[in-house]
């Protein structure tokens, strides 16, 4: 790589500018071609997205098994749509690159290697725009330096854009979580002093933890300068600056002076996302921009990843700037390996350049030794040649830099540009092959659906369904019978609890002493014995009222019991009974015997169904009324407080006018204590009665519907299973209508699905990104 | 030395019943040539204090329409009551210890070994039951809603089942549980005794006392099964239900919740329709657990004599040439005094015919 010395510098530059214009134009045409191809891929993606419209049709299929099958088919296509979308994003990224109207070159490297000095020399800039000091890390923000030949020499325009809150907080929290993994800060937290102190204490407790210490130093700057210098810039609009003095406060970390000389520090760079600097380069090399990246040894979070992203997405070539102190060091090897790993599909020997920065009088020999070693180790870089001297350059000497390095580099880039761009297309083709392979696999797996439709054997099908219904129904009824069989020796919980509540509160029914005394005193006609009797009457009536109310509980339990039995057959028979019959009430209020009554009307058409009808009628009319038993039991225990009964137990005590209230209350409490005891005891057997009745009813219903085998006129045994089969056969028109409707929905799904798969196959055949040799 | 262990829920009235028992035992032993007296001042003082408390409580009934709340002080630590047994005209020849320990020990792992030791060292176990808690708010289980919580039926049952060795093959090396008299003693049965007897209130002709015995059998069913779970237990343990009227003229009426502590408190009143001699402090059947104990021990002596095994001071108590006759007289008298049935009395298991 060398510059032809017979041609003038200006001629060379003119040639480079023209060549850049030419290749950029070619690249943009390539972008147009990609855009057209993208449309075809987009259509393919849309075909997969269209699969979602089949959900509506599939949801109309009532047959759960069929419906589930259809949903599975649609679901199987969904991930393919996402794969196609990802591929489109990849195409878009290449299109964006190809549409660029400039050649973009990144400068990368460790800290303090002279990257910024290289940029200064290329861009004819000084420390105020691109800070480059010997002793400190100085580049604060990513800068992009554009060659703008229309600008006067020495003039600079900087467009500064700022981080948004999310980006900014993501960086902040990266540091925070190094110190306290459980902590995550919000934007507003940065003004809270306590948080900084808390983090500081954690760092102090972990003295010696370097990562924590570094993270805290970054955070410290942010906390301390957030309110004054950073907060208002975050999320703000871009600003345009022309004054170099001002620009440096946004892009630099300090003014380069030593602390003893009163070094001034800047913190706005923390808020800066990037600075686009427009200036006239030292030599007009045409449509070129240089991207400065932050030094790799900088401890700021995500520096390495950010550098790789920048090179990958924004640059056509990269210069690794090194100021060698000896041969290839471990960090140098690491950086090279990093490029090789991350750009395995892009040949680094076409676009990755090394610059060995020679500081005259300081590292002359090591800079050359470094270049020589790079050459000898055979690293895949674009400026490796036997004449390794072309890699060695004093970055602070613009003439030397352009002559020895920049111009040869540009010539090499232009020479390789076609191949560099082609590598992106090849990558798309290779990914396209993989995508198509995946799609073909998936579409072939989607295969034809098993179709379900009407056939001439519908009557037979109905008969079989009847038998199937019998099996399902008898299994469910059997389960119910077993449940109530197990429950029949247990007290009915609802009845027991209701009685318990009444008896636990029985003493509250006794009128208070005061109330009784007042009753006596406010009614001159009453005798003390009358107060006693009135109190007895009041308690008796209130107590029996409460027990009469229990009937509601049992009615409700009976309703639920009947519903549980009807549900066992409802699911199988609902298609036969008009839908309007089942009231659209909520589950708690539903009375399913109404549906059973309607079912009786519809199916009471043949003598063969008499056992079914009998079972239905039995369940409809089944009632369980414990009122009489309960009231009889309770009233029997009230005899001792009922003066008209022989068992009445009058206190052996004469009530006194002045204390009748207290006396009546006292003796009534004693009596009620006995009454309570006896009611609890005498009702014990009654608690089991409801469950025993439910068991009997469930057993009767189950027995009649499943085992009531009959004889026909020829004395042939007719099994209930056959009767249900016959029953369904009779009602097969209804079943047919329903099945037909189902069949239409399934057919419709099939048709649309097949159409879709065909469309996908056609679009796959036209897929525009295929490697050569792939048909 | 005869050791009796009292088990039961907290505050169920064990001390009160001991006081009543002490008061009535010597009358029951008339003719048996035996007498029992507290052997130390502590025992005498404690029982006297307990009796005073109950008598004072009953004294409150002198004011008409009075109801009293019974909320016995719980036993805070292990309490030992020591008695001396005399034969007529002789010095005490035997010590009878009754050990009452806090109900919580049953569920305290730290005390388990101590309780095991007590059980191993005693001949008689009294399981005291607070009857109102057992019988009120009857549920379909056959006993009251509060019984398990207050009388600790499950805890007592589990303790025996899990901590007491009933098998020779027991790995922990603890002493084999056998040769015991186990008495279930429902306390405070006054209400149910009176209701059974008072026809004015018992319109259903219920035998409440028998129902109490049934409730004991149901609620301690698993424990009763344990006492016959091995051939050795079934052949050596005697089990009976011996209800007691701890104070006499005082009937449980109802439970009410104490507003301050939130605990259920039993409310008592003077019963109606009682004869004059049944009113006031008039405990009933309190001597029976002691009669059962003495008879059980005497029968063991007789069996030991037959087998030439003199295991107790009782064997020499009636020293001299007529000792066998004297023992026979004592056993005969105790046999007459022991209550085996009626009023809820029930012998559940008596393989050696010690009682029956």
């Amino acid at each position: 790589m060398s510059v032809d010395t017979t041609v003038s510098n200006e001629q060379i530059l003119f040639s480079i500018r023209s060549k850049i214009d030419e290749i950029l134009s070619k690249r943009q045409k390539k972008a147009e071609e990609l855009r057209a191809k993208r449309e075809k891929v987009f259509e393919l993606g849309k075909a997969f997205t269209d699969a979602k419209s089949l959900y509506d049709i599939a949801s109309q299929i009532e047959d759960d098994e069929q419906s589930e099958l259809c949903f599975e088919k649609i679901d199987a296509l969904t991930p393919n749509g996402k794969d196609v979308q990802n591929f489109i994003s990849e195409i878009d990224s290449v299109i964006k690159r190809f549409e660029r109207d400039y050649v973009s070159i990144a400068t990368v490297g460790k800290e303090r290697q002279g990257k910024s000095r290289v940029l200064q020399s290329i861009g004819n800039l000084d420390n105020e725009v691109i800070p480059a000091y010997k002793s400190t890390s100085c580049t604060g923000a990513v800068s992009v330096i554009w060659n703008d030949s229309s600008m006067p020499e020495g003039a600079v325009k900087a467009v500064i854009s700022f981080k948004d809150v999310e980006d900014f907080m993501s960086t902040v929290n990266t540091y925070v979580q190094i110190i306290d993994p459980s902590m995550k800060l919000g934007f507003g937290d940065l003004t809270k002093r306590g948080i900084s102190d808390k983090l500081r204490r954690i760092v102090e407790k972990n003295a010696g933890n370097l990562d924590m210490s570094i993270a805290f130093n970054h955070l410290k700057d942010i906390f301390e300068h957030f309110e004054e210098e950073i907060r208002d810039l975050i999320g703000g609009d871009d600003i345009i600056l022309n004054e170099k003095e001002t620009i440096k406060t946004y892009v630099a970390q300090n003014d380069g002076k030593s602390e003893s000389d009163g070094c001034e520090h800047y913190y706005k760079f923390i808020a800066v996302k990037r600075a686009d600097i427009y200036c006239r380069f030292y030599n007009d090399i045409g449509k070129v921009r240089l991207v400065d990246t932050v030094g790799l040894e900088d401890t700021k979070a995500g520096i390495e990843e950010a550098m790789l992203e920048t090179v990958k997405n924004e640059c056509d070539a990269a210069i690794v700037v090194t100021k060698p102190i000896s041969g290839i060091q471990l960090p140098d090897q690491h950086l090279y390996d990093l490029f090789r790993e991350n750009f395995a599909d892009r040949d680094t020997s076409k676009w990755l350049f090394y610059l060995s920065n020679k500081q005259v009088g300081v590292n002359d020999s090591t800079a050359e030794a470094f270049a020589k070693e790079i050459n000898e180790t055979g690293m895949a870089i674009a400026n490796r040649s036997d004449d390794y001297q072309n890699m060695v350059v004093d970055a602070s000497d613009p003439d030397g830099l352009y002559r020895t390095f920049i111009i040869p580099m540009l010539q090499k880039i232009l020479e390789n540009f076609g191949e560099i761009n082609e590598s992106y297309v090849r990558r798309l083709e290779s990914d396209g092959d993989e995508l198509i392979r995946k799609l073909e696999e998936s579409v072939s797996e989607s295969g034809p659906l098993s179709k379900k439709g009407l056939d001439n054997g519908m009557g037979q099908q109905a008969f079989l369904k009847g038998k199937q219904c019998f099996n399902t129904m008898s299994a469910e009824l059997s389960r119910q019978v077993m449940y109530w069989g197990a429950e029949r020796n247990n007290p009915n919980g609802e009845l027991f609890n209701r009685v318990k509540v009444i008896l636990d509160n029985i003493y509250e029914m006794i009128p208070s002493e005061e109330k009784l005394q007042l009753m006596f005193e406010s009614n001159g006609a009453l005798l003390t014995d009358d107060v006693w009797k009135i109190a007895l009457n009041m308690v008796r009536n209130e107590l029996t009222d409460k027990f009469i109310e229990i009937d509601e509980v049992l009615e409700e339990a009976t309703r639920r019991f009947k519903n549980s039995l009807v549900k066992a057959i409802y699911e199988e028979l609902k298609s036969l009974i008009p839908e309007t019959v089942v009231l659209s009430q909520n589950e708690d209020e539903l009375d399913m015997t109404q549906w059973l009554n309607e079912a009786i009307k519809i199916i009471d058409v043949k003598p063969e169904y008499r056992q079914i009808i009998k079972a239905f009628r039995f369940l409809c009319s089944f009632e369980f009324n414990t009122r009489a038993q309960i009231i009889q039991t309770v009233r029997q225990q009230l005899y001792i407080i009922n003066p008209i009964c022989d068992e009445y137990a009058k206190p052996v005590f004469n009530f006194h006018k002045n204390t009748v209230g207290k006396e009546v209350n006292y003796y009534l409490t004693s009596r009620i204590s006995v009454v309570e005891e006896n009611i609890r005891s005498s009702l014990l057997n009654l608690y089991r009665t409801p469950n025993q009745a439910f068991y009997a009813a469930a057993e009767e219903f189950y027995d009649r519907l499943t085992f009531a085998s009959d004889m026909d006129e020829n004395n042939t045994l007719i099994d209930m299973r056959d009767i249900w089969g016959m029953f369904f056969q009779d009602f097969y028109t209804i079943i047919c209508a329903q099945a037909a409707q189902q069949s239409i929905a399934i057919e419709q799904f099939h048709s649309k699905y097949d159409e879709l798969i065909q469309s996908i196959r056609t679009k796959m055949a036209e897929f525009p990104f295929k490697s050569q040799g792939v048909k | 030395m005869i050791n009796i262990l009292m088990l039961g829920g907290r505050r169920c009235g064990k001390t009160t019943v001991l006081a009543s028992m002490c008061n009535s035992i010597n009358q029951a032993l008339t003719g048996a040539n035996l007498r029992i007296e507290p052997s130390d001042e502590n025992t005498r003082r404690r029982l006297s204090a307990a009796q005073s408390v109950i008598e004072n409580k009953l004294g409150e009934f002198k004011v008409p329409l009075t109801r009293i709340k019974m909320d016995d002080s719980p036993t805070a630590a292990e309490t030992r009551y020591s008695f001396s047994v005399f034969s007529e005209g002789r010095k005490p020849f035997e010590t009878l210890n009754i050990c009452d320990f806090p109900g919580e020990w049953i569920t305290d792992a730290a005390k388990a070994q101590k309780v095991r030791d007590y059980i191993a060292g005693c001949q008689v176990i009294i399981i005291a039951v607070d009857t109102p808690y057992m019988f009120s708010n009857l549920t379909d289980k056959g006993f009251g809603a509060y019984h398990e919580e207050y009388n600790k039926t499950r805890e007592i049952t589990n303790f025996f089942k899990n901590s007491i060795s009933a098998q020779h093959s027991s790995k922990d090396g603890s002493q084999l549980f056998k040769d015991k008299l186990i008495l279930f003693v429902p306390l405070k049965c006054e209400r149910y005794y009176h209701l059974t007897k008072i026809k004015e209130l018992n319109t259903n002709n219920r035998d409440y006392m028998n129902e109490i015995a049934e409730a004991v059998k149901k609620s301690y069913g698993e424990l009763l099964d344990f006492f016959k779970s091995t051939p050795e237990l079934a052949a050596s343990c005697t089990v009976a239900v011996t209800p007691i009227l701890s104070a006499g003229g005082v009937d449980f009426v109802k439970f009410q919740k104490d507003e301050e502590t939130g605990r259920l408190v039993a409310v008592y009143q003077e019963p109606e329709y009682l004869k004059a001699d049944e009113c006031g402090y008039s405990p009933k059947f309190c001597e029976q657990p002691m009669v059962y104990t003495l008879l059980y021990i005497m029968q063991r002596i007789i069996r030991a004599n037959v087998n030439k095994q003199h295991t107790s001071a009782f064997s020499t108590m009636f020293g001299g040439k007529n000792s066998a006759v004297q023992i026979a007289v004592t056993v005969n008298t105790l046999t007459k005094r022991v209550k085996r049935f009626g009023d809820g009395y029930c012998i559940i298991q008596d393989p050696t015919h010690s009682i029956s």
Side-chain angles (χ1 to χ4, degrees), chain A residues 637 666 670-671 673 678, chain B residues 67 191 204 206 253 269 272:
Chain A
Q637 304 315 323
Y666 178 90
S670 298
R671 294 289 178 281
S673 159
N678 286 337
Chain B
R67 286 205 174 103
R191 168 191 173 90
N204 297 324
R206 285 176 67 181
V253 184
Q269 70 177 31
E272 286 180 78

Side-chain angles (χ1 to χ4, degrees), chain A residues 252-266:
Chain A
Q253 298 189 36
N254 54 59
D255 65 358
K257 291 179 187 167
S258 68
E259 293 296 334
S260 56
D261 290 341
C263 171
E264 194 178 345
H265 293 273
Y266 310 121

Side-chain angles (χ1 to χ4, degrees), chain B residues 302-321:
Chain B
I302 292 171
R303 282 199 302 279
N305 277 336
V306 169
N307 299 324
K308 307 294 179 200
Q309 296 168 339
H310 303 285
T311 55
S312 163
F314 268 95
S315 57
T316 54
M317 70 187 218
F318 303 112
K321 57 183 180 181

